[in-house]
Amino acid sequence: MSDRIAEKVFGLLFENSPDAAFVVERAHWRVVSANMRAVDLFARDHEDLLGMSLAELSYDPERDLSLPGHYEDVTFKRSDDYPIYVALQVAHLDTVEHGPVAAYQARDISERRLLEDELQAKHSALFTAHAE
């Protein structure tokens, strides 16, 4: 596959993905590109999202999300500081325009996480009631 075809295909996948996708340059860990799902996920304007650091988007800036791989239960924050729980896939790439970058694909699992927390609370209440 030629580089031009690959760029068009991956660009199309990036824009049409059902998941949030954003690209961070690895030199300073700032967002250089984001699809519309990422804009919606973070509840920010596209222009505001570009240039933000990964630490600014994270509720746990000490957690290292720089290495390639899969991360569960990552907590990001929307513009109103509301927590967003995601499953995160990270890949490293080298580009001509931006140099070394990290591509992030974030699947929103907030609803599932809230339901799990609710189920855990109900289970704890039931266990306590049964023990009494």
Side-chain angles (χ1 to χ4, degrees):
M1 182 182 307
S2 76
D3 288 343
R4 288 184 67 200
I5 293 172
E7 184 177 323
K8 287 181 181 181
V9 169
F10 291 117
L12 184 63
L13 290 172
F14 179 81
E15 288 303 324
N16 292 316
S17 172
D19 298 325
F22 55 99
V23 178
V24 175
E25 51 84 24
R26 293 192 330 239
H28 299 100
W29 296 99
R30 297 209 174 272
V31 176
V32 294
S33 183
N35 69 3
M36 290 310 295
R37 299 286 192 298
V39 169
D40 293 342
L41 180 72
F42 291 112
R44 298 180 183 277
D45 291 331
H46 191 259
E47 295 77 27
D48 293 338
L49 187 56
L50 298 182
M52 290 189 74
S53 72
L54 197 57
E56 290 174 296
L57 296 171
S58 178
Y59 256 119
D60 186 10
E62 300 301 316
R63 185 172 182 185
D64 185 9
L65 301 172
S66 64
L67 298 175
H70 182 78
Y71 299 86
E72 282 291 331
D73 291 326
V74 174
T75 310
F76 284 125
K77 57 185 166 184
R78 291 189 330 198
S79 61
D80 59 2
D81 281 341
Y82 190 82
I84 310 159
Y85 300 99
V86 300
L88 194 64
Q89 192 70 37
V90 182
H92 284 187
L93 307 162
D94 290 320
T95 66
V96 175
E97 185 177 349
H98 295 288
V101 297
Y104 290 82
Q105 179 182 10
R107 176 161 291 153
D108 188 352
I109 59 168
S110 299
E111 187 174 330
R112 185 191 85 195
R113 173 74 186 267
L114 293 173
L115 289 172
E116 288 173 352
D117 289 348
E118 184 180 316
L119 182 61
Q120 182 65 33
K122 287 179 179 178
H123 178 69
S124 294
L126 181 61
F127 185 78
T128 302
H130 181 68
E132 293 173 354

